[in-house]
């Protein structure tokens, strides 16, 4: 015990110096974390003010946060006497090894950069990518957040998005509704076609240009199939779709035109 006390007395100056450096390093680390968050928030607000897409602002702010936080760590290490030049060299070598082990994460980062550069979608677009569909909320360094119509949140790796087709349902202002309506072979095709056109003419959300299409598409096994293809504004797609399906059924019923449905006849043979 006396030996320890003697050592402390002899090195009290160094202990005090290192203690102060450690406290300063801790303060730098804690303040640096807050500064990194502040810089990221400031970057995102600046992008919002410039009316840049929110997804882009979120992505850039994430990168700003990572850079400032890494600089904070280097400053804190330098304060406690660690040679940052050597540390950076060691970090670079370790980074190479970690990068090889985390190729998926690096792929996600690279894919995130490509998403920002190529802009296949923006915040608020409804897209289908990576086998999932939803509204884009934000793009981050490694992943993109989608929200489904039933309010589920999907966090999808950026590499999964860029590795396959991306269907953007919101980019164009107009969309075409594709319906296939079958009528019985005993129906008057001219009357059926007129009924379908009358339903489309009454729907105010259907655009006049391009004009809609109503035509016989197929002589199927149990029905004559019409294609009904009106154009609507993208925002009106689903409301118009649901109303058309309902109104077409009602109009055909009122005109006594049957819509065939699959059915099976079962015959029983009585054995003597």
């Amino acid at each position: 015990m006396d030996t320890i006390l003697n050592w402390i007395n002899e090195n009290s100056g160094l202990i005090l110096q290192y203690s102060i450096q450690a406290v300063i390093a801790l303060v730098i680390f804690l303040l640096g974390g807050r500064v990194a968050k502040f810089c990221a928030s400031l970057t995102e607000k600046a992008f919002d003010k410039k009316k840049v897409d929110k997804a882009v602002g979120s992505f850039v702010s994430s990168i700003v946060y990572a850079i400032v936080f890494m600089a904070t760590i280097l400053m804190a290490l330098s304060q406690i006497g660690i040679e940052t030049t050597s540390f950076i060299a060691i970090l670079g070598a370790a980074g190479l090894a970690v990068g090889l082990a985390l190729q998926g994460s690096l792929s996600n980062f690279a894919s995130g950069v490509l998403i920002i550069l190529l802009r296949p979608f923006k915040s608020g677009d409804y897209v289908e990518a990576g086998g999932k569909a939803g509204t884009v909320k934000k793009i981050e360094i490694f992943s993109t957040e989608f929200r489904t119509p039933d309010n589920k949140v999907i966090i999808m790796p950026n590499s999964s998005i860029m590795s396959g087709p991306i269907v953007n349902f919101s980019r164009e202002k107009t969309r075409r509704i594709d319906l296939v309506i079958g009528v019985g072979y005993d129906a008057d095709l001219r009357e059926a076609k007129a009924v379908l056109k009358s339903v489309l003419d009454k729907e105010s959300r259907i655009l006049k240009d391009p004009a809609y299409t109503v035509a016989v598409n197929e002589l199927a096994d149990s029905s004559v199939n019409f294609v009904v293809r009106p154009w609507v504004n993208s925002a009106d797609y689903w409301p118009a779709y649901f109303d058309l399906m309902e109104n077409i059924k009602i109009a055909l019923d009122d005109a006594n035109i049957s819509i065939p449905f699959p059915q099976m006849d079962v015959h029983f043979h009585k054995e003597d």
Side-chain angles (χ1 to χ4, degrees), residues 17-210:
Q17 179 183 347
Y18 284 123
S19 297
I20 293 173
Q21 288 177 343
V23 170
I24 294 175
L26 181 61
V27 171
I28 290 174
F29 180 78
L30 295 176
L31 289 178
R34 294 193 175 186
V35 170
K37 289 182 180 179
F38 175 76
C39 291
S41 176
L42 195 65
T43 302
E44 195 162 1
K45 288 179 181 178
F47 274 88
D48 288 341
K49 191 174 181 180
K50 295 290 185 180
K51 296 183 179 180
V52 179
D53 180 28
K54 290 183 178 179
V56 176
S58 175
F59 183 83
V60 175
S61 66
S62 299
I63 295 178
V64 169
Y65 176 84
I67 292 173
V68 175
F69 193 68
M70 182 58 68
T72 298
I73 293 175
L74 293 176
M75 289 173 63
L77 292 174
S78 176
Q79 184 62 40
I80 60 177
I82 296 178
E83 184 60 46
T84 54
T85 304
S86 301
F87 181 78
I88 291 172
I90 295 172
L91 188 63
L96 179 60
V98 172
L100 294 174
L102 300 176
Q103 294 183 28
S105 297
L106 294 177
S107 175
N108 288 329
F109 175 77
S111 297
V113 173
L114 287 176
I115 289 174
I116 295 301
L117 293 177
L118 299 179
R119 302 291 300 278
F121 51 75
K122 64 181 185 298
S123 179
D125 283 355
Y126 187 84
V127 302
E128 181 180 331
K132 301 293 183 179
T135 302
V136 179
K137 289 301 177 183
K138 57 183 177 179
I139 303 170
E140 297 185 335
I141 294 178
F142 300 113
S143 63
T144 297
E145 182 178 311
F146 297 93
R147 194 175 300 273
T148 63
D150 57 347
N151 213 30
K152 295 177 183 176
V153 176
I154 300 175
I155 308 297
M156 185 175 295
N158 289 330
S159 59
S160 297
I161 296 174
M162 295 302 293
S163 63
I166 300 173
V167 182
N168 190 330
F169 296 95
S170 303
R171 172 166 289 186
E172 299 298 332
K173 293 182 179 180
T174 59
R175 286 183 63 186
R176 190 181 73 185
I177 299 176
D178 289 350
L179 303 178
V180 178
I181 305 298
V183 301
Y185 271 94
D186 57 345
D188 185 326
L189 293 186
R190 295 185 184 85
E191 182 183 2
K193 189 172 184 178
V195 170
L196 294 174
K197 285 186 174 181
S198 68
V199 173
L200 297 181
D201 290 335
K202 293 176 184 177
E203 177 53 64
S204 60
R205 288 166 293 199
I206 292 178
L207 303 177
K208 303 300 181 183
D209 185 24

Side-chain angles (χ1 to χ4, degrees), residues 210-229:
Y212 63 71
T213 299
V214 178
V216 175
N217 179 57
E218 182 184 13
L219 302 178
D221 293 338
S222 59
S223 64
V224 178
N225 293 336
F226 283 89
V227 288
V228 179
R229 296 174 176 173

Side-chain angles (χ1 to χ4, degrees), residues 214-254:
V214 178
V216 175
N217 179 57
E218 182 184 13
L219 302 178
D221 293 338
S222 59
S223 64
V224 178
N225 293 336
F226 283 89
V227 288
V228 179
R229 296 174 176 173
W231 288 83
V232 296
N233 291 320
S234 295
D236 294 331
Y237 181 87
W238 286 113
Y241 179 95
F242 294 138
D243 287 345
L244 282 175
M245 292 294 287
E246 179 179 347
N247 293 333
I248 285 174
K249 177 64 169 66
I250 293 172
L252 291 176
D253 287 345
D254 291 342

